Amino acid sequence: MTAAEVERQLRDAKARIEQARAALASGRPVDLADFEATAEALCGAIMRLPAPEAKALAQELAAMIEEVDRLSIELKARKAELAGSAPDPRRVARAYGAGSGS
């Protein structure tokens, strides 16, 4: 993979993270399926580049990592918000069990 291809994939990954943050902010589900594999592949591709080309991508990689960190913080905050509003699963089980004729 060339440095230009890696750079394009870094930008694509960053855009995907930004889309996930926008989805989270608007209350839509966030789909990060296979993102870990994408990140691992990018890191591997960068490590295989000649040092000067890899170094030139450092700023773009750092920007992607910052976006991942922001998303992580936002996901944790959202999870905490939802945990406070989620009903007690035992209460739900009793309600559905009582309504099923059992």
Side-chain angles (χ1 to χ4, degrees):
M1 186 178 303
T2 67
E5 291 169 325
V6 173
E7 185 175 11
R8 181 187 49 78
Q9 289 189 5
L10 277 169
R11 282 194 304 266
D12 290 348
K14 188 177 170 197
R16 186 170 170 204
I17 296 164
E18 291 168 353
Q19 291 169 350
R21 290 182 66 211
L24 184 64
S26 67
R28 295 187 323 252
V30 174
D31 180 11
L32 294 173
D34 80 340
F35 187 79
E36 184 175 352
T38 298
E40 287 178 13
L42 278 169
C43 289
I46 290 169
M47 290 180 5
R48 287 187 294 276
L49 290 173
E53 291 179 13
K55 189 172 182 176
L57 296 173
Q59 187 173 358
E60 194 72 33
L61 182 60
M64 185 186 85
I65 292 168
E66 286 177 20
E67 288 297 317
V68 169
D69 288 343
R70 283 189 197 105
L71 178 59
S72 174
I73 290 166
E74 292 166 3
L75 283 167
K76 288 175 185 172
R78 182 68 176 147
K79 181 180 177 184
E81 288 173 19
L82 292 175
S85 65
D88 181 349
R90 294 167 293 195
R91 185 173 173 206
V92 173
R94 284 193 302 270
Y96 280 96
S100 67
S102 344

